[in-house]
Amino acid sequence: MSDAQNTSTAPEWEQRFRAPRVSLPDWAEDAPDRSLFVSNATGTYELYTWDRVSGAQRQVTDRPNGTTDGTLTPDGEWIWWFSDTDGDEFGVWMRQPFGGGEDEPAAPGLDPSYPAGLAIGRDGTAVVGRSTDEDGTTIHVVRPGAEPVEIYRHHESAGVGDLSWDGSLIALEHTEHGDAMHSALRVVRPDGSLVAELDDTEGGTKELGLSVLGFAPVQGDTRLLIGHQRRGRWEPLIWDPVAGTQTDLPIDLPGDVGAEWYPDGSALLVEHEFEARSELWRFEPGRPEPVRVETPPGTVSGATARPDGTVEYLWSSAAQPPAVRSTSGAVVLDPPGPKAPRSVPVEDVWVEGPGGRIHALVQKPATGEGPYPTVFDIHGGPTWHDSDAFASGPAAWVDHGFAVVRVNYRGSTGYGRDWTDALKHRVGLIELEDIAAVREWTVESGLADPQRLVLAGGSWGGYLALLGLGTQPEAWALGLAAVPVADYVTAYHDEMEALKAMDRTLLGGTPEEVPERFEASSPLTYVDAVRAPVYISAGVNDPRCPIRQVENYVDRLKARDAVHEVYRYDAGHGSLVVEERIKQVRLELDFALRHLPGMKPREAVHAAGTGGATVEA
């Protein structure tokens, strides 16, 4: 074992990244003792099988940049996994026998694409969604030994939702009305003929979305569990597209509510997200109210009901590392090796903002008193939210004496539809108003040192970091942006088609149709106003925040001799390699300790590592 991998001598923040982890195991519907999970046991996140009877585990994939997208066929005989190139998300589905063997193309005849959903039937038929810049979304029925048959095509984004138990019905999500944030539903037969439609947007005139949660897992049952927003939040509904009926469910819980079927179709496992925490409930249609499934306070990142009636779930809190637990009281899947060191809990903060009360999560060092150097770690998405869940990145900053503040700005999920949908047209600027309100609170409360405020984030969070450094130049002492949108116009033209559709929805058109909005929301517009030192990391194969638009922004920083460093690495929108993740955090920490006033720089970062990676000052 190399020194870099020796967890016994490494600092605790590195141990958290290296500690072996597992995802919530997926299991085959008709062979529930066969499971599939993701683990970083080798130092790279890959797919693994698990035979629950024998206890045997086997690594399925082994690729330099990792693999996380995979599923089991209903009979448990095959693993389908998505094969792209170095994280570019563009590729084909492969398959491998559960017991091991050679990989082979799972859907011969389909060219590489971005994935747009997958459903696999009991007779081996697969419904494969594809997205390309040239064709938009296409959906194909692939039967064993036959050529793929295209059953759907549209230039707007769409995807495969689910396939009924007997394979006679296919549920699709689509945005043919042009609103990529609010999907409509269509159920078709395998030949593509229409069964039923459900469109709460009424042709794009209302901002009400629908989502496919799954067909009832029972032969002959045509009920489809869906999510809707009719009462201002996500909640489940049972729609029978054949009978033409909709069954409302009396699940009166605040926040967003999702659900999935118990294996016999008799009940629903309800997943409830509210104010950065989550919990589980069991609901039986026809009963007056759900029954709580006991889980500890914190975040349930995924849950599944097993055939024996128990529920398995992946749980963590900001202080306690993740574990796959069961309502039976057992730890379901415990990876070998040292456990991740604990971190500090989060504190909830509510701040009045221009669009309503803003929820933020705060972590403070275990020792010392404020005001602290403070990192605003801004989440990506934007339709996502930070929660009381274990995160190695924020914990690393806390270990180095920083307070960490995470803001669930307008656009975040988990606070109702109005909060999420507030993000329109003034994209980026709206979120930064909320971040500014929380920043003001951190200074006034004595938490944050105003001379040592760091604006940081990845993906959309990285975009907001660069935009904030240019539009609020006096507010921030330093900026850290990972895989960001930096030049919005170039990003739009280079990004994957599904994200183009999202940008058209957020900004109300293309850069040619609404140039003033793209200009107002682009970090490149304000780059000459940036005064703080800037650190940027970017994946050279990133299809979401492509490298060319990052280079455009960096060139403008260079032209004015602004203090900045750029790190480029050979992957896509982030890395699945543990040592690469550690290296990136180490570089960010080093940059902050060197450039923030009053900090004591640690020993210079050793930059050797991933092939092709470059650090440029």
Side-chain angles (χ1 to χ4, degrees):
M1 181 178 290
S2 69
D3 291 341
Q5 295 173 322
N6 190 338
T7 57
S8 63
T9 59
E12 284 194 345
W13 75 266
E14 292 186 18
Q15 293 179 40
R16 293 192 191 96
F17 282 95
R18 292 195 183 99
R21 296 189 186 184
V22 292
S23 68
L24 179 71
D26 186 18
W27 50 274
E29 294 176 53
D30 297 337
D33 287 328
R34 292 190 167 190
S35 292
L36 183 70
F37 64 93
V38 176
S39 177
N40 65 340
T42 64
T44 301
Y45 284 87
E46 298 285 3
L47 294 168
Y48 291 76
T49 60
W50 173 32
D51 186 320
R52 294 178 183 236
V53 175
S54 68
Q57 298 178 14
R58 181 181 67 82
Q59 185 175 342
V60 176
T61 53
D62 184 9
R63 303 194 303 152
N65 285 291
T67 316
T68 58
D69 292 338
T71 190
L72 288 164
T73 56
D75 60 10
E77 292 295 322
W78 293 89
I79 302 110
W80 283 49
W81 60 274
F82 192 75
S83 175
D84 64 353
T85 302
D86 295 330
D88 66 0
E89 301 181 46
F90 195 83
V92 298
W93 287 100
M94 302 292 289
R95 71 173 191 169
Q96 182 184 127
F98 183 88
E102 294 298 318
D103 292 309
E104 63 184 43
L110 291 181
D111 292 333
S113 69
Y114 298 111
L118 172 70
I120 304 174
R122 284 167 170 77
D123 64 352
T125 297
V127 185
V128 182
R130 302 172 62 255
S131 174
T132 65
D133 294 342
E134 299 76 21
D135 297 329
T137 304
T138 60
I139 293 174
H140 308 258
V141 172
V142 184
R143 300 186 185 279
E147 288 295 314
V149 177
E150 182 181 305
I151 63 167
Y152 179 90
R153 176 181 290 259
H154 201 278
H155 65 275
E156 296 287 358
S157 57
V160 178
D162 198 17
L163 183 65
S164 64
W165 192 98
D166 61 2
S168 65
L169 301 173
I170 301 168
L172 310 177
E173 297 179 1
H174 72 83
T175 59
E176 294 172 6
H177 47 275
D179 181 351
M181 292 181 68
H182 301 94
S183 295
L185 304 184
R186 179 173 298 151
V187 175
V188 300
R189 300 178 184 89
D191 62 3
S193 60
L194 178 66
V195 176
E197 300 216 45
L198 199 58
D199 181 9
D200 281 7
T201 75
E202 297 182 9
T205 62
K206 293 185 177 181
E207 295 183 336
L208 292 173
L210 297 167
S211 64
V212 173
L213 301 178
F215 278 106
V218 180
Q219 186 173 11
D221 195 333
T222 56
R223 293 177 300 165
L224 178 63
L225 186 64
I226 66 173
H228 71 92
Q229 297 179 301
R230 296 170 186 174
R231 288 189 285 265
R233 60 194 177 99
W234 281 108
E235 53 188 323
L237 171 80
I238 295 176
W239 175 40
D240 190 327
V242 175
T245 60
Q246 297 180 34
T247 304
D248 202 8
L249 305 175
I251 303 175
D252 188 16
L253 297 170
D256 288 334
V257 179
E260 67 174 50
W261 296 96
Y262 272 74
D264 61 0
S266 65
L268 303 177
L269 178 60
V270 175
E271 301 176 20
H272 174 221
E273 297 276 352
F274 183 57
E275 296 183 351
R277 273 84 181 178
S278 52
E279 57 189 16
L280 301 176
W281 299 75
R282 176 187 169 98
F283 177 74
E284 297 180 20
R287 293 292 183 92
E289 57 187 20
V291 176
R292 178 76 184 271
V293 176
E294 292 301 325
T295 59
T299 296
V300 175
S301 301
T304 181
R306 292 282 292 165
D308 63 1
T310 60
V311 175
E312 296 177 353
Y313 58 95
L314 181 62
W315 175 90
S316 72
S317 70
Q320 193 163 335
V324 181
R325 301 185 176 190
S326 169
T327 52
S328 69
V331 173
V332 176
L333 190 59
D334 192 18
K339 306 303 180 189
R342 294 168 62 97
S343 186
V344 299
V346 293
E347 301 174 14
D348 295 274
V349 171
W350 293 90
V351 177
E352 290 298 328
R357 283 205 318 159
I358 308 160
H359 190 198
L361 302 174
V362 175
Q363 289 175 281
K364 295 184 291 189
T367 59
E369 296 183 357
Y372 304 98
T374 299
V375 175
F376 274 67
D377 185 16
I378 309 304
H379 73 74
T383 50
W384 191 249
H385 68 272
D386 278 314
S387 62
D388 181 10
F390 196 75
S392 299
W397 289 102
V398 173
D399 284 3
H400 285 78
F402 289 78
V404 176
V405 179
R406 290 179 283 172
V407 181
N408 283 331
Y409 50 75
R410 277 173 287 173
S412 301
T413 55
Y415 301 87
R417 179 171 59 86
D418 289 343
W419 191 257
T420 303
D421 286 355
L423 186 59
K424 288 288 180 67
H425 298 174
R426 293 181 60 248
V427 171
L429 305 174
I430 289 172
E431 303 96 294
L432 287 169
E433 289 175 353
D434 293 346
I435 293 166
V438 177
R439 179 188 59 79
E440 184 176 350
W441 172 86
T442 64
V443 173
E444 291 178 352
S445 69
L447 171 72
D449 179 348
Q451 303 305 312
R452 295 187 291 179
L453 283 169
V454 179
L455 186 57
S459 190
W460 196 265
Y463 157 65
L464 293 177
L466 294 183
L467 188 64
L469 295 176
T471 59
Q472 304 167 353
E474 305 304 320
W476 306 103
L478 187 133
L480 306 169
V483 289
V485 173
D487 168 4
Y488 216 142
V489 174
T490 302
Y492 175 86
H493 288 302
D494 289 359
E495 68 193 3
M496 57 203 305
E497 183 58 37
L499 293 184
K500 286 186 173 72
M502 178 62 76
D503 282 337
R504 291 193 296 270
T505 296
L506 289 173
L507 290 154
T510 67
E512 292 70 35
E513 292 167 339
V514 287
E516 71 286 353
R517 290 179 183 168
F518 275 82
E519 181 180 9
S521 293
S522 178
L524 189 66
T525 302
Y526 312 98
V527 64
D528 291 338
V530 172
R531 296 293 176 263
V534 186
Y535 173 88
I536 299 172
S537 60
V540 297
N541 303 312
D542 191 345
R544 297 172 181 267
C545 299
I547 191 68
R548 184 168 72 106
Q549 51 94 29
V550 173
E551 302 291 7
N552 292 346
Y553 187 90
V554 171
D555 287 345
R556 290 281 294 274
L557 290 175
K558 285 181 182 177
R560 44 186 288 263
D561 293 325
V563 178
H564 73 284
E565 289 180 11
V566 185
Y567 174 62
R568 303 169 183 86
Y569 57 96
D570 289 336
H573 198 61
S575 177
L576 299 176
V577 179
V578 171
E579 291 304 318
E580 175 61 36
R581 290 186 177 185
I582 291 172
K583 180 180 179 181
Q584 292 179 24
V585 174
R586 190 185 292 128
L587 288 170
E588 290 183 347
L589 286 164
D590 178 71
F591 186 83
L593 294 173
R594 283 189 285 113
H595 290 286
L596 282 177
M599 303 301 291
K600 295 180 180 180
R602 304 298 200 270
E603 186 177 342
V605 174
H606 179 58
T610 340
T614 59
V615 182
E616 171 190 285

